[in-house]
């Protein structure tokens, strides 16, 4: 699936799901949150993934959420983050990541690490890996029919000159600043891409 077809693909999946007998049953049971037809059709669910879910992916989650809320209020986006390994399940983001984020106005303190679950491949429309190693792990775990949802985060920002967000865990404080620089640039590029795509879709 080409990047330009993201929202169109989401709309089609929403249409099929809402038309299924199971969806109608749960709607009658009151288990589906009611929202406008347009909002439901265009809602995007984005998952950011790194190794342990305590540095890069939670940074991407909070930064993307903040930039989308500030610069693209017309978009309806749910965000989350997870890791491919269970080293830090239930832990708060790395203190160094939190400190660097706070200096730029982002609060990560409420987040807790988790591992990518099998249902994430169904739930999320876009699963964005921080580097190729995690991209490979995700593609190995994902069902064949969900492979097109998995991409590198930085592919949406080719002007950054790199395709991976480096792991800052074993480095110095500059590594966490570099992560923020890359994530902020990629988040803005992704938001802009989704806005252009939404505007190009028929109403």
């Amino acid at each position: 699936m080409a990047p330009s077809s993201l929202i169109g693909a989401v709309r089609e999946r929403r249409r099929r799901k809402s038309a299924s007998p199971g969806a109608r049953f749960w709607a009658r049971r009151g288990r589906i949150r009611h929202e406008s037809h347009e909002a439901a059709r265009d809602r995007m669910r984005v998952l950011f993934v790194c190794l342990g879910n305590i540095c890069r992916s939670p940074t991407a989650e909070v930064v993307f959420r903040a930039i989308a809320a500030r610069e693209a209020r017309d978009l309806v986006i749910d965000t989350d983050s997870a890791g491919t390994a269970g080293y830090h399940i239930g832990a708060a983001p790395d203190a160094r990541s939190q400190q660097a984020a706070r200096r730029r106005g982002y609060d990560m303190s409420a987040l807790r690490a988790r591992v990518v679950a099998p249902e994430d491949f169904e739930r999320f429309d876009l699963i964005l890996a921080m580097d190729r190693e995690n991209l490979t792990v995700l593609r190995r775990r994902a069902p064949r029919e969900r492979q097109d949802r998995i991409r590198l985060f930085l592919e949406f920002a080719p002007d950054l000159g790199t395709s991976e967000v480096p792991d800052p865990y074993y480095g110095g404080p500059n590594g966490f600043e570099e992560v923020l620089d890359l994530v902020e640039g990629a988040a803005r590029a992704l938001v802009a891409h989704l806005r252009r795509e939404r505007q190009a879709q028929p109403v």
Side-chain angles (χ1 to χ4, degrees):
M1 180 176 66
S4 60
S5 66
L6 271 173
I7 288 183
V10 169
R11 286 182 175 181
E12 177 62 17
R13 287 198 293 270
R14 298 286 185 274
R15 185 192 66 77
R16 291 177 180 174
K17 192 172 292 186
S18 65
S20 70
R24 290 195 296 269
F25 171 78
W26 288 114
R28 288 196 299 271
R29 293 288 297 264
R31 294 291 296 277
I32 295 178
R33 181 173 59 184
H34 293 286
E35 56 189 341
S36 71
H37 173 70
E38 183 178 1
R41 181 183 61 178
D42 292 345
R43 178 177 293 277
M44 284 285 299
R45 295 180 174 90
V46 181
L47 180 68
F48 298 96
V49 179
C50 66
L51 180 62
N53 193 212
I54 60 169
C55 295
R56 294 171 290 172
S57 57
T59 297
E61 177 186 350
V62 297
V63 168
F64 179 75
R65 183 183 296 134
I67 289 175
R70 185 169 62 242
E71 301 179 8
R73 296 194 175 195
D74 53 318
L75 295 178
V76 184
I77 306 175
D78 294 335
T79 61
D80 197 359
S81 62
T84 55
Y87 302 137
H88 308 286
I89 293 175
D94 186 287
R96 297 164 296 174
S97 286
Q98 293 199 55
Q99 291 167 3
R102 274 197 300 270
R103 286 194 289 270
R104 302 196 192 191
Y106 305 111
D107 182 7
M108 303 166 60
S109 60
L111 302 184
R112 295 295 180 269
R114 72 176 184 89
V115 176
V116 174
E119 57 267 26
D120 288 330
F121 297 109
E122 176 62 32
R123 178 184 171 206
F124 289 94
D125 305 297
L126 202 53
I127 300 173
L128 300 177
M130 297 297 112
D131 57 36
R132 287 190 177 85
E133 183 176 349
N134 285 291
L135 180 75
T136 299
V137 173
L138 288 168
R139 286 181 171 165
R140 190 163 59 237
R141 294 181 185 176
R144 182 181 304 174
E145 65 273 16
R146 298 292 180 258
Q147 294 289 323
D148 60 356
R149 302 184 182 192
I150 303 167
R151 301 184 189 168
L152 284 171
F153 183 28
L154 295 196
E155 80 172 65
F156 290 94
D159 292 346
L160 292 176
T162 183
S163 60
E164 298 182 298
V165 180
D167 190 346
Y169 189 78
Y170 292 106
N174 289 341
F176 295 89
E177 296 296 335
E178 181 185 8
V179 166
L180 277 162
D181 289 341
L182 292 172
V183 165
E184 285 182 330
R188 288 192 172 92
L190 178 57
V191 166
H193 173 85
L194 293 175
R195 290 196 74 186
R196 288 192 303 270
E197 187 178 279
R198 186 180 187 280
Q199 291 164 359
Q201 290 292 321
V203 296

